[in-house]
Amino acid sequence: MTENAQQQPPATTPELPTQYAPSEVEGVLYERWVERGYFDADARSDKEPFTVVIPPPNVTGSLHLGHAFEHTLIDAMTRRKRMQGYEVLWQPGMDHAGIATQNVVERELGKEGTSRHDLGREAFVERVWQWKGESGGQISGQMRRLGDGVAWSRERFTMDEGLSKSVQTIFKRLYDDELIYRAERIINWCPRCLTAISDIEVEYQDDDGELVSIKYGDGDETLVVATTRAETMLGDTAVAVHPEDERYRHLVGRQIKLPLTDRTIPVVADEHVDPEFGTGAVKVTPAHDPNDFEIGRRHDLPNIAVMDEHAVITVSGPFQGLDRLEARSAIVGALRAEGRIVAEKRPYTHSVGHCSRCKTTIEPRLSLQWWVKVGPLAKAAGDAVRDGQVKIHPQEMEKRYFDWVDNLHDWCISRQLWWGHRIPVWYGPNGEIVCVGPDDQAPTGEGWTQDTDVLDTWFSSGLWPFSTLGWPENTESLAKFYPNSVLVTGYDILFFWVARMMMFGLYAMDGTPPFHTIALHGMVRDQFGKKMSKSFGNAVNPLDWMDKYGSDALRFTLARGANPGVDVPIGEDWVQGSRNFANKIWNATRFALMNGATVEGPLPDAAEMSATDRWILSRLNTVVAEVDAYYEDYQFAKLSDALFHFAWDEVFDWYVELSKTTFMAGGAPAEVSKRVLGEVLDVTLRLLHPVVPFVTETLWTTLTGGESVVIAPWPTDAGFRDAAAEREIRSLQDLVTEVRRFRADQGLQPGQKVPARLTLDGTPFAPHEAAVRQLLRLQPEGESFAATATLPVSGATVALDLSGTIDVAAERKRLAKDLAAAEKEKAQATGKLGNEAFLAKAPDQVVDKIRGRLAKAEEDIARLQAQLDSLPAA
């Protein structure tokens, strides 16, 4: 009923160890997969391509739960596509991580009592390459532990020779098209790392600072402004008010005295000012605030920088040479002495940006930098989604994407670092500027120097979907695997990485976007929904959980929580539960093999099968269709949940249990069920493989004798459905469940055997009497049988002899008490729902809750009364 390819049934009954030991098989299996080339991608293949790039982890990094989560989703998706017959390329590689890597190596040098400045630029860069070769990239080994099916032979690094050529090529083209320029603008500056940093490298946190209100001007020309950065007032070049603020209309255009200086500054009217916030007047420091910079441009204000690159005051006077925080305190003291402080709030908690690498407070700073003019590039990136070339999943994330690309500011791409792609621009002795491409000869001669800055890391990673395929050369790989099929990444870098890849891909590849679909996932959080962080004490090393429970257990837990665009809570108990699932798969397959389950030969005709056989095959095909639909919609949580419940509940807990009596009876029915069980396990293991690759590889190859489930065909829906068999087995499940519930209510142990008389003639249960007795631990009635409890279920009757097993009087008393409580609950709910005044005032959700209580009470009353009626007289 489903494809069974590349399988050679074992000549003898295969055996499995009694227990599954992940640590003994995972590493061996992974190396075997790599050695056999299962993950390689052939650009000359005539198969349809399926391409995914790994979001390149930093060379300084190690595997964290976020990596494990994202890699699990990509690996599951690519393993399925490989089984479906696609030529799959999962492109691996690492990012050189400019500032992070430079900091790591600088710290090592510090331990040796030296610095990068002592070494000089060339020697320092050599030292970084040495560190990369010896210590960088430990994440690659950890990816193998997780089971990542990447094309290792194609691994790339953002500073390897080919990618460096890509960077130089696109820089030159953008420069020639006047989309790259050099200008003074406000940037995020780290006074410790001494470089501009990107927005994503700024971490905001609430800090305790101070808010001081300062009186500017004197007499009728007085304004009060509030600031948390009093030290920047030395660079104020205006005070701004709203044009329609009547309080200050008379001051617009006038000059007022700037305290602690010998300067006067104008009052300007600007719509950026919120007249309802504070005093409605704001100080304008164009060289130290991005909003103030824009006000300054609109009003042609001078830019006065008051700090150097170390955030030390440079203005002549008593504050010169002070660190910004020292200057802040000294300036507030001086203003207080002059009577200029009209209000102080301390502590004042507000959001402050910090360098994500060294945690230093960021300083907005006017600086001469290189920029990308993003206007036309961002428009193309927005249009590609609007016109359907690229789909964002889930669709509701489109709005966030448009909000970003439609309002992008020009991108600062220069960094004051030594490790990275050096900007390919040379300056001549007479002010000449020459941009050099990879095939150009750099200018030589006296006075020519190359720009000392390097490019933002996001510049090179923005080229990742095509630079890794050999661009700018027209390679076979580029022709085969571009554009990528899908990008799987977190919504947190939708703006930073995804938008840049969209802009560069469309620009470099003649309007062809870098991928067809952007599938966004959420962040991994702890089991209480809290962000994981070392400072919170809830960070988890995924390797610890893989060591303890196996990689499959971690993968399945992560996939089962992966709803598109939604954060994923995870706790150790859940990983332990997934380990139990892997053990359940192992034990069920071991039982099947011991009982002769086989994949040999075609499936028997449906007419030869029992209702149980036809039911499980009908359900199997339904699940195949469901899982396929969920994969196409990136619903990893739903497909994992569907597989979990089908495998555990339907295959292992019902079909295997129902089949035990058939196997014990032997004969033709047993042979049919052995083949059906083999088929069901074969298909189920293939369906599970992309998410839990290791345990399924071991079990599938043992069951089928096939080479590897990695290259086995993906199951297809054979179209077989049997609604009648599904109804019959559903009724059987209802019968067993109802009797089990009654047994539990009577306090009987699950394994405790009870004499019973079954009246099943004329019901769907008649062929299943042996299975019913087996599942419910019901003994034959015997000569002394006395029916002390009778359960009517769906036309059948189950009479139980409970004499000697329960205290009837005590049981009647307990049930009567529970019945009275249920009747009281019903009366209270009925009274409230019958009260028109209550219904008129109560919220809908409250009324719905009471209706639910009523329905539950009525259900309990019926159940308890039936149990009482089934008991013999006390």
Side-chain angles (χ1 to χ4, degrees):
M1 308 195 75
T2 50
E3 231 179 331
N4 261 333
Q6 296 172 324
Q7 300 172 188
Q8 296 296 325
T12 58
T13 302
E15 293 184 1
L16 288 168
T18 55
Q19 291 184 326
Y20 175 50
S23 61
E24 295 179 10
V25 301
E26 290 179 349
V28 174
L29 290 179
Y30 189 83
E31 291 310 313
R32 184 184 304 160
W33 293 335
V34 174
E35 288 168 6
R36 292 178 177 177
Y38 293 157
F39 306 140
D40 292 343
D42 184 359
R44 298 183 180 182
S45 166
D46 58 3
K47 296 179 182 178
E48 184 177 348
F50 185 84
T51 315
V52 182
V53 294
I54 192 173
N58 288 351
V59 68
T60 59
S62 60
L63 191 74
H64 57 64
L65 272 179
H67 289 127
F69 172 56
E70 185 168 79
H71 291 198
T72 293
L73 304 188
I74 300 174
D75 194 47
M77 185 171 58
T78 53
R79 283 178 182 268
R80 170 176 174 262
K81 287 294 184 181
R82 189 176 293 111
M83 295 171 76
Q84 288 181 315
Y86 287 81
E87 190 64 37
V88 173
L89 168 60
W90 183 9
Q91 174 66 55
M94 287 182 290
D95 192 289
H96 65 278
I99 191 170
T101 306
Q102 179 159 315
N103 282 348
V104 167
V105 178
E106 283 196 80
R107 283 196 294 270
E108 285 197 351
L109 292 175
K111 294 175 185 177
E112 300 169 8
T114 187
S115 71
R116 65 181 169 110
H117 299 288
D118 294 331
L119 291 181
R121 182 167 193 150
E122 185 175 339
F124 175 76
V125 171
E126 287 180 5
R127 178 65 181 265
V128 180
W129 277 109
Q130 178 185 341
W131 174 88
K132 191 260 183 187
E134 295 174 354
S135 306
Q138 63 173 317
I139 200 169
S140 295
Q142 296 165 343
M143 287 166 59
R144 293 171 182 263
R145 282 286 314 278
L146 190 65
D148 287 2
V150 298
W152 288 113
S153 62
R154 291 172 170 266
E155 187 174 11
R156 303 303 300 268
F157 181 55
T158 50
M159 280 188 62
D160 66 30
E161 184 177 353
L163 270 64
S164 294
K165 182 175 183 179
S166 299
V167 169
Q168 287 181 283
T169 299
I170 201 163
F171 188 100
K172 170 71 171 172
R173 292 186 186 180
L174 288 165
Y175 181 86
D176 290 346
D177 288 343
E178 299 183 348
L179 292 173
I180 280 182
Y181 65 94
R182 196 178 188 216
E184 278 195 322
R185 299 282 188 276
I186 296 288
I187 44 88
N188 301 309
W189 181 263
C190 176
R192 211 289 311 172
C193 298
L194 299 180
T195 181
I197 64 174
S198 67
D199 291 338
I200 199 172
E201 292 166 322
V202 179
E203 293 179 349
Y204 288 90
Q205 65 184 49
D206 288 340
D207 287 357
D208 286 339
E210 61 180 357
L211 180 69
V212 293
S213 297
I214 309 169
K215 182 173 65 175
Y216 282 27
D218 295 298
D220 293 339
E221 296 178 347
T222 297
L223 286 167
V224 175
V225 300
T227 182
T228 58
R229 300 164 67 214
E231 69 279 8
T232 63
M233 68 162 292
L234 300 176
D236 286 358
T237 54
V239 173
V241 298
H242 194 274
E244 297 178 4
D245 193 332
E246 293 293 337
R247 295 171 296 175
Y248 306 121
R249 189 183 293 271
H250 67 290
L251 291 177
V252 174
R254 294 191 186 184
Q255 296 282 326
I256 62 173
K257 178 76 166 58
L258 177 64
L260 305 183
T261 72
D262 58 1
R263 292 193 292 118
T264 61
I265 56 177
V267 178
V268 299
D270 196 280
E271 292 188 351
H272 171 76
V273 180
D274 181 0
E276 304 298 323
F277 183 78
T279 64
V282 297
K283 61 191 288 298
V284 181
T285 320
H288 291 278
D289 183 274
N291 293 322
D292 293 3
F293 179 77
E294 295 303 324
I295 293 175
R297 292 179 69 179
R298 287 193 289 272
H299 297 276
D300 198 24
L301 300 174
N303 301 316
I304 300 177
V306 300
M307 285 178 247
D308 65 12
E309 59 186 3
H310 298 280
V312 170
I313 300 299
T314 57
V315 178
S316 298
F319 311 112
Q320 187 174 14
L322 295 180
D323 170 82
R324 56 183 166 168
L325 298 182
E326 297 171 333
R328 183 177 301 169
S329 177
I331 287 171
V332 170
L335 289 168
R336 190 184 297 112
E338 288 190 6
R340 293 281 178 178
I341 302 295
V342 299
E344 297 180 67
K345 187 173 183 180
R346 193 182 293 112
Y348 176 73
T349 303
H350 61 128
S351 182
V352 178
H354 296 259
C355 174
S356 64
R357 305 301 175 186
C358 69
K359 311 308 176 186
T360 302
T361 300
I362 290 302
E363 188 64 40
R365 183 170 187 255
L366 185 65
S367 181
L368 182 62
Q369 302 283 348
W370 284 95
W371 303 81
V372 172
K373 186 185 297 183
V374 300
L377 303 174
K379 181 181 184 305
D383 290 346
V385 175
R386 287 190 172 93
D387 64 20
Q389 286 188 80
V390 179
K391 298 186 182 303
I392 294 180
H393 188 87
Q395 191 174 0
E396 54 265 28
M397 286 287 181
E398 283 187 2
K399 182 179 184 302
R400 296 180 66 175
Y401 176 80
F402 292 136
D403 286 347
W404 180 259
V405 297
D406 292 347
N407 297 284
L408 266 181
H409 298 295
D410 285 359
W411 171 20
C412 176
I413 56 172
S414 46
R415 299 290 181 267
Q416 291 64 56
L417 303 171
W418 288 356
W419 173 245
H421 293 282
R422 194 165 175 181
I423 289 177
V425 170
W426 270 254
Y427 304 106
N430 299 311
E432 303 96 332
I433 299 178
V434 176
C435 181
V436 177
D439 299 320
D440 298 335
Q441 181 65 44
T444 57
E446 187 177 350
W448 282 94
T449 59
Q450 186 178 358
D451 196 299
T452 57
D453 289 352
V454 300
L455 287 164
D456 178 12
T457 297
W458 296 102
F459 191 94
S460 51
S461 61
L463 313 180
W464 192 247
F466 52 94
S467 63
T468 52
L469 298 173
W471 187 90
E473 306 302 327
N474 293 319
T475 65
E476 289 180 323
S477 291
L478 189 65
K480 177 75 173 180
F481 295 114
Y482 187 91
N484 294 183
S485 305
V486 60
L487 173 75
V488 178
T489 192
Y491 63 70
D492 59 323
I493 56 174
L494 173 63
F495 316 128
F496 304 102
W497 187 44
V498 179
R500 281 150 175 68
M501 286 190 290
M502 286 286 284
M503 291 191 296
F504 281 167
L506 288 159
Y507 173 79
M509 299 301 294
D510 299 320
T512 301
F515 18 72
H516 298 300
T517 301
I518 302 168
L520 299 171
H521 59 72
M523 305 295 102
V524 177
R525 297 181 177 272
D526 70 14
Q527 59 188 325
F528 306 107
K530 189 175 182 179
K531 179 181 177 181
M532 285 192 171
S533 166
K534 290 181 181 178
S535 61
F536 295 155
N538 63 350
V540 174
N541 183 346
L543 296 175
D544 293 341
W545 281 352
M546 286 192 280
D547 288 341
K548 193 171 182 180
Y549 302 111
S551 298
D552 285 332
L554 176 63
R555 288 170 62 115
F556 193 73
T557 304
L558 291 166
R560 205 172 175 195
N563 291 296
V566 179
D567 288 347
V568 182
I570 185 173
E572 186 169 0
D573 288 350
W574 305 343
V575 185
Q576 185 175 353
S578 295
R579 188 271 313 273
N580 295 342
F581 179 51
N583 289 341
K584 185 81 169 180
I585 303 169
W586 183 272
N587 292 333
T589 306
R590 186 169 179 271
F591 165 84
L593 290 170
M594 291 171 62
N595 284 274
T598 179
V599 297
E600 187 172 4
L603 277 172
D605 291 337
E608 300 176 54
M609 297 180 190
S610 68
T612 306
D613 294 332
R614 287 182 278 112
W615 160 72
I616 197 63
L617 289 174
S618 181
R619 288 292 305 130
L620 176 67
N621 279 283
T622 298
V623 170
V624 169
E626 287 177 350
V627 169
D628 272 334
Y630 287 141
Y631 263 114
E632 295 304 314
D633 199 34
Y634 307 99
Q635 297 281 358
F636 294 97
K638 290 182 178 179
L639 72 89
S640 299
D641 212 46
L643 286 170
F644 174 85
H645 287 294
F646 174 70
W648 191 308
D649 299 345
E650 298 185 84
V651 178
F652 306 148
D653 278 358
W654 283 106
Y655 183 70
V656 168
E657 292 300 318
L658 288 168
S659 298
K660 285 180 179 179
T661 54
T662 305
F663 293 152
M664 286 188 291
E671 295 306 312
V672 170
S673 290
K674 289 175 184 178
R675 179 65 187 89
V676 171
L677 179 54
E679 178 77 6
V680 171
L681 285 175
D682 166 28
V683 174
T684 301
L685 291 171
R686 283 188 277 152
L687 288 173
L688 283 166
H689 172 72
V691 183
V692 285
F694 295 108
V695 67
T696 52
E697 172 78 342
T698 303
L699 295 176
W700 187 86
T701 53
T702 303
L703 172 70
T704 68
E707 178 184 333
S708 173
V709 70
V710 175
I711 54 172
W714 180 251
T716 55
D717 176 8
F720 178 80
R721 301 290 190 278
D722 193 323
E726 291 198 35
R727 286 193 300 271
E728 181 174 329
I729 301 304
R730 194 177 304 119
S731 296
L732 178 61
Q733 291 171 330
D734 291 343
L735 170 70
V736 172
T737 302
E738 185 63 29
V739 177
R740 280 176 173 168
R741 183 185 295 119
F742 177 79
R743 286 176 54 108
D745 288 341
Q746 307 310 313
L748 299 177
Q749 295 300 313
Q752 187 173 350
K753 294 183 178 180
V754 177
R757 177 187 298 137
L758 303 183
T759 306
L760 306 178
D761 292 344
T763 72
F765 315 124
H768 305 287
E769 179 169 350
V772 170
R773 286 189 177 276
Q774 171 72 20
L775 291 167
L776 292 172
R777 305 296 189 266
L778 302 180
Q779 293 177 321
E781 52 192 277
E783 292 182 4
S784 60
F785 178 82
T788 59
T790 303
L791 300 176
V793 184
S794 302
T797 302
V798 180
L800 305 174
D801 183 354
L802 302 178
S803 57
T805 61
I806 62 170
D807 182 336
V808 175
E811 187 61 20
R812 276 191 168 278
K813 185 176 180 180
R814 184 185 71 82
L815 290 172
K817 181 180 178 181
D818 290 347
L819 181 61
E823 288 173 337
K824 181 179 179 181
E825 175 72 5
K826 176 184 176 181
Q828 290 176 342
T830 302
K832 286 187 176 182
L833 294 173
N835 185 334
E836 294 296 334
F838 169 78
L839 294 176
K841 295 179 181 179
D844 290 345
Q845 61 267 31
V846 172
V847 175
D848 289 343
K849 186 175 181 180
I850 293 172
R851 286 179 178 142
R853 285 169 49 195
L854 175 60
K856 176 67 166 54
E858 290 174 338
E859 180 183 319
D860 289 344
I861 289 169
R863 177 175 56 82
L864 293 165
Q865 188 63 58
Q867 291 177 23
L868 274 170
D869 293 343
S870 70
L871 290 174

